[in-house]
Amino acid sequence: MTPYVTSLRAIVGREALRFIHQRERFIAALVRPLVWLLVFAAGFQAALGLSIIPPYQTYIAYETYIVPGLCGMIMLFNGMQSSLSLVYDREMGSMKLLLTAPLPRWWLLFCKLAGATAISILQVYAFLAIAALYGINMPPLGYITVLPALAVAGLMLGALGLLLSSFIKQLENFAGVMNFVIFPMFFLSSALYPLWKMAESSKLLHDICALNPFTHAVELIRFALYVQFNAAALGWTLLAAAVFVAAALWGYNPSRTGMSRRG
Amino acid sequence: MTGLSVKDITYRYGAKTALDGVSFDIPQGAFCALLGPNGAGKSTLFSLLTRLFVAPVGQIDIAGHNLARDPRAALAKLGIVFQQPTLDLDLSVRQNLSYFAALHGLSGREARTRIDSSLERLDMLPRAHEKARSLNGGHRRRAEIARALIHTPSVLLLDEPTVGLDAAARAAITGHVHRLAQDGTTILWATHLTDEVWPGDQLVVLHHAKVLTQGIASQIAGDMPLRDRFLAMTAAPA
């Protein structure tokens, strides 16, 4: 086995072990979208009329509409959580252990990203299973075709977390960033309402939503769940992922003096 | 042969100079103490030696590999014990060491054999299955030193490894690491405690970002205890 594969397995394995040890985190990650699905969606069902828009071929209940958005929410929270753990690792020193391994830094960071994404995907499947028990079913094939979409969305949001972690110097600054990243990203997207609804109330908000990479990640997941391919959504999500990864690698570059402010 | 060579390293945080033209060489298999008061630049030097950040000026060679030109070969020859504890407390000692071994590309039977032998060297083998959280401070440190030896590095860096330990644990760890030097590993041991330096050790005294003096500890101390000599040197305006 090459050192690359060995290190990938170890880093992903460690992320998984850490996740298993934090059972509260797993439960919290599941309860959050379930509250939205079972409470919020039930209340909004009556208020929000949805017309037939792709990929749906018939009128759908609001609960069905928000499932892909809630999958995205799980991944968004997870991306930020893994970024939080990176900042924690840096304060605690275990990040140093990782970054001094004799492998290229981009690979080590990619392994971290892959670990976080794998955990996100497991959580999304747990959520989809509960939603199915509740009666919100996708086409059976959709549960398979959504996998690559989740991987791309998870990598993009994980890369955003990585980027944030390279610029956040202290754990205490994190809560503010979460509020400025998670909430705007989630609410200014197509997760809770279709974009045409948004356009009815404000053109500007609609345009912001259309620019938000999270919107495209959600649409990618939504189409994939119905065994359809949304090339534009994939393109924008990949582009956003590439930009975030490039910026994060720059942020973690050892010759950038900003890295060194904390010994 | 030179185990670790540092040439003309200068590093600034904005306007503040953390290291100013620092140079020293440690022969292969020597124990070198890097002695300096808090804030002298020891931790910055360690971050540069481990390539956590890169010095724009100067040159670092680890076991003959240039850190800037060939970072991976250089890092592969380097064992590091950081000042902060870096064990994952929820994992066992063995799991912690296996994770590190994998970062160095070691897995399977080879990793197990190496982990056993390096735990053995630090008398930690009986505790391999204990959770890191259940170990006392001295044993945690020893586990970290054992971890840093898995890939048989030629150079071992330790950044104030005895911080927070009691006198007995400090003496034990200092003794263990001196024995590693006798076995041929080059050691750089940063500290501000003179009692950890043995008379025959190499010594580099760092103060206000510069090397104040370097040589054999007993010769630098001269006719007074090293502690008094060190206080006299660092009290004087640099």
Side-chain angles (χ1 to χ4, degrees), chain A residues 82-100:
Chain A
S82 63
S83 142
L84 177 72
S85 80
L86 283 166
V87 175
Y88 178 82
D89 275 1
R90 201 171 55 220
E91 295 230 313
M92 290 302 127
S94 45
M95 193 67 182
K96 290 182 179 172
L97 197 68
L98 182 73
L99 294 181
T100 51

Side-chain angles (χ1 to χ4, degrees), chain B residues 75-117:
Chain B
L75 287 174
K77 291 283 172 197
L78 194 63
I80 311 160
V81 178
F82 294 104
Q83 189 175 344
Q84 297 154 298
T86 54
L87 290 175
D88 195 326
L89 296 181
D90 292 320
L91 301 183
S92 71
V93 171
R94 183 177 292 280
Q95 282 174 319
N96 265 292
L97 269 62
S98 302
Y99 171 68
F100 178 84
L103 290 182
H104 282 258
L106 300 166
S107 61
R109 183 179 299 167
E110 197 196 353
R112 269 199 302 282
T113 321
R114 282 167 175 257
I115 288 170
D116 284 348
S117 80

Side-chain angles (χ1 to χ4, degrees), chain B residues 112-166:
Chain B
R112 269 199 302 282
T113 321
R114 282 167 175 257
I115 288 170
D116 284 348
S117 80
S118 78
L119 283 172
E120 183 82 67
R121 270 174 106 173
L122 275 293
D123 298 332
M124 284 292 290
L125 196 53
R127 300 184 184 274
H129 294 289
E130 289 184 25
K131 278 250 167 88
R133 196 181 293 283
S134 68
L135 300 180
N136 67 31
H139 287 139
R140 285 185 194 180
R141 262 303 180 221
R142 274 204 246 166
E144 286 184 311
I145 296 172
R147 181 178 62 185
L149 295 173
I150 294 174
H151 57 298
T152 47
S154 342
V155 180
L156 181 63
L157 306 180
L158 305 100
D159 189 5
E160 307 204 5
T162 58
V163 164
L165 302 183
D166 61 32

Side-chain angles (χ1 to χ4, degrees), chain A residues 1 3-4 6-7 10-11 14 17-18 21 90-105 108 254-257 259-263, chain B residues 11-13 43 47 50-54 71-73 75-76 80 82 84-86 88 90-91 95-96 98-107 131 147:
Chain A
M1 225 175 351
Y4 286 85
T6 311
S7 57
I11 294 169
R14 180 169 178 265
L17 269 181
R18 187 189 259 197
H21 286 144
R90 201 171 55 220
E91 295 230 313
M92 290 302 127
S94 45
M95 193 67 182
K96 290 182 179 172
L97 197 68
L98 182 73
L99 294 181
T100 51
L103 286 164
R105 199 166 271 201
L108 296 166
S255 37
R256 197 175 72 87
T257 46
M259 259 305 274
S260 55
R261 241 172 270 138
R262 293 184 60 81
Chain B
Y11 197 80
R12 292 190 181 83
Y13 299 104
S43 287
S47 295
T50 53
R51 204 171 170 270
L52 283 172
F53 34 100
V54 172
R72 285 163 59 193
L75 287 174
I80 311 160
F82 294 104
Q84 297 154 298
T86 54
D88 195 326
D90 292 320
L91 301 183
Q95 282 174 319
N96 265 292
S98 302
Y99 171 68
F100 178 84
L103 290 182
H104 282 258
L106 300 166
S107 61
K131 278 250 167 88
R147 181 178 62 185

Side-chain angles (χ1 to χ4, degrees), chain A residues 33 37 54-56 60-76 124 127-128 131 136-138 146 149-150 153 157 186 189-192 214-226:
Chain A
L37 183 66
Y56 306 107
I60 45 152
Y62 184 60
E63 289 144 328
T64 309
Y65 178 80
I66 67 167
V67 164
L70 295 178
C71 293
M73 179 201 218
I74 294 173
M75 305 202 108
L76 178 63
V124 169
F127 168 73
L128 285 174
I136 305 171
N137 292 297
M138 307 293 150
V146 78
L150 291 176
L157 293 167
F186 184 61
S189 79
S190 60
L192 296 179
F214 186 66
T215 296
H216 299 290
V218 168
E219 290 311 303
L220 184 66
I221 296 170
R222 189 189 307 285
F223 276 73
L225 271 172
Y226 290 89

Side-chain angles (χ1 to χ4, degrees), chain A residues 24 143 257:
Chain A
E24 305 81 18
Y143 290 105
T257 46

Side-chain angles (χ1 to χ4, degrees), chain A residues 136-204:
Chain A
I136 305 171
N137 292 297
M138 307 293 150
L141 193 59
Y143 290 105
I144 297 167
T145 50
V146 78
L147 181 62
L150 291 176
V152 172
L155 284 176
M156 188 271 282
L157 293 167
L160 175 63
L162 197 63
L163 170 62
L164 290 174
S165 76
S166 72
F167 290 98
I168 299 169
K169 297 299 167 208
Q170 284 169 25
L171 224 43
E172 297 86 70
N173 300 344
F174 209 85
V177 176
M178 299 277 272
N179 283 337
F180 281 104
V181 175
I182 289 192
F183 290 128
M185 264 197 129
F186 184 61
F187 289 116
L188 288 171
S189 79
S190 60
L192 296 179
Y193 12 76
L195 289 192
W196 65 266
K197 272 275 183 198
M198 199 57 141
E200 279 179 1
S201 40
S202 160
K203 179 81 176 63
L204 176 68

